[in-house]
Amino acid sequence: MRAQPAALTAPPAPLNRSNHRSAYTAFFRKSASFWLALPFPLGLLLLWALAAQQGWVAPQVLPSPQAVLATFTELIQSGELFDNLKISFLRVVLGFGVGVAGGLLLGVAMGLSPLFKDYFYPFFKAFSQVPVLGWLPLLMLLVGIDEALKIILIAKAALVPIAVNTYKGIENVPARYVDVARVLRFSRWQLLWRVIFPAALPPIWNGVRYGFTHAWLALVVVELLASSEGLGYMIVFGRQLFQLDVVIAAVVVVGVVGYLGDQVLARIEVILLGWRRSGF
């Protein structure tokens, strides 16, 4: 009797369930973190509703959640909320884009050129210590209170963390990576694009996320002080008219939009740094 080929007699290979297990583990971790984070805001909401119902605080000072929800619905139906949100979003996109470009250029220059860092970093350090509000009076005299003022201040708020993280990320690239590239006789451009920038990308992207957070905060601050449109203006206008329901609704929108923007950047980070999970 002839022996059958090994391919016919070999037992079937066991199914690899590691990917399924890792997917289930990630899913349960995300679910657990969601349920663990849920009780605190729900508790605050219940306490708020109870305080409004029992009259612990005057409704003119702390309107009920039902009143805020009704105002929020009214602002959506009238289009006022979306109009102001669109204006704020365009401002932060422009300012953040300028801040990203400037921060990356400065960070790369300081990270790659020790001479440039020695000359420029002390000035940059002093510049970064002045908060956004510190520049507001001077810039109001130079550029007025139009859109240029808001874009400049938002860009400044985003530029500082992006430049610092980019510079630190490039500076902290392990020396052994550069040594291997030299052994392989990489050119300068190959060293930059295949070694330095990929290794420095995680801290650089952290700087971008921090920059967005700072830009969004600066947007609200600028609109609170020097604007007649936007979410920050809605907060000021509601306070002036003692419409605290409008103030709370605008504050909630500011928090939700800022959180969603950071989550979008976090998803982009997963895509950009996906090669790290593959063991490259």
Side-chain angles (χ1 to χ4, degrees):
M1 183 176 181
R2 290 190 306 172
Q4 295 185 357
L8 298 178
T9 58
L15 295 176
N16 185 6
R17 302 182 184 274
S18 60
N19 294 334
H20 298 285
R21 289 177 181 174
S22 61
Y24 287 136
T25 302
F27 173 77
F28 283 121
R29 284 180 179 175
K30 290 182 179 179
S31 301
S33 62
F34 172 78
W35 290 110
L36 287 174
L38 194 59
F40 183 71
L42 285 179
L44 288 179
L45 182 61
L46 292 175
L47 181 61
W48 175 18
L50 183 62
Q53 183 181 9
Q54 298 298 324
W56 295 343
V57 184
Q60 294 82 6
V61 177
L62 183 65
S64 65
Q66 295 85 351
V68 174
L69 181 60
T71 301
F72 183 75
T73 305
E74 182 180 346
L75 291 173
I76 292 177
Q77 292 175 349
S78 65
E80 181 180 354
L81 179 61
F82 288 115
D83 291 340
N84 287 282
L85 176 59
K86 180 176 66 175
I87 292 171
S88 295
F89 183 75
L90 290 176
R91 286 171 178 166
V92 79
V93 166
L94 290 175
F96 180 63
V98 174
V100 169
L104 290 177
L105 287 175
L106 286 177
V108 170
M110 290 188 293
L112 296 180
S113 174
L115 181 62
F116 181 82
K117 185 197 75 171
D118 292 339
Y119 278 108
F120 187 78
Y121 189 73
F123 167 78
F124 174 78
K125 193 67 175 178
F127 168 80
S128 64
Q129 297 302 315
V130 181
V132 171
L133 291 180
W135 295 102
L136 183 61
L138 176 62
L139 289 175
M140 289 178 67
L141 294 175
L142 294 176
V143 300
I145 60 172
D146 293 332
E147 293 301 308
L149 171 69
K150 304 169 184 62
I151 301 304
I152 293 172
L153 291 177
I154 294 170
K156 185 269 176 187
L159 180 145
V160 172
I162 294 173
V164 171
N165 278 48
T166 302
Y167 154 61
K168 294 295 184 181
I170 294 176
E171 187 180 50
N172 293 329
V173 172
R176 62 181 183 274
Y177 292 179
V178 179
D179 294 338
V180 171
R182 288 172 177 169
V183 170
L184 296 175
R185 297 183 180 180
F186 280 8
S187 65
R188 183 172 179 83
W189 286 109
Q190 287 177 319
L191 176 64
L192 290 176
W193 292 107
R194 299 182 64 178
V195 178
I196 301 295
F197 290 150
L201 185 57
I204 291 175
W205 196 256
N206 284 336
V208 171
R209 292 182 63 180
Y210 285 130
F212 174 79
T213 300
H214 289 210
W216 187 249
L217 294 176
L219 165 77
V220 177
V221 171
V222 172
E223 289 183 343
L224 285 172
L225 299 176
S227 181
S228 59
E229 297 172 308
L231 295 174
Y233 171 74
M234 288 183 63
I235 297 174
V236 173
F237 186 74
R239 179 187 61 81
Q240 291 174 346
L241 298 182
F242 227 74
Q243 297 176 342
L244 275 300
D245 49 351
V246 175
V247 173
I248 295 175
V251 168
V252 170
V253 173
V254 168
V256 170
V257 174
Y259 174 79
L260 292 178
D262 182 72
Q263 290 301 302
V264 170
L265 293 176
R267 297 295 182 271
I268 297 176
E269 180 180 6
V270 172
I271 297 174
L272 291 177
L273 303 180
W275 55 268
R276 301 178 70 194
R277 298 194 304 273
S278 64
F280 177 75

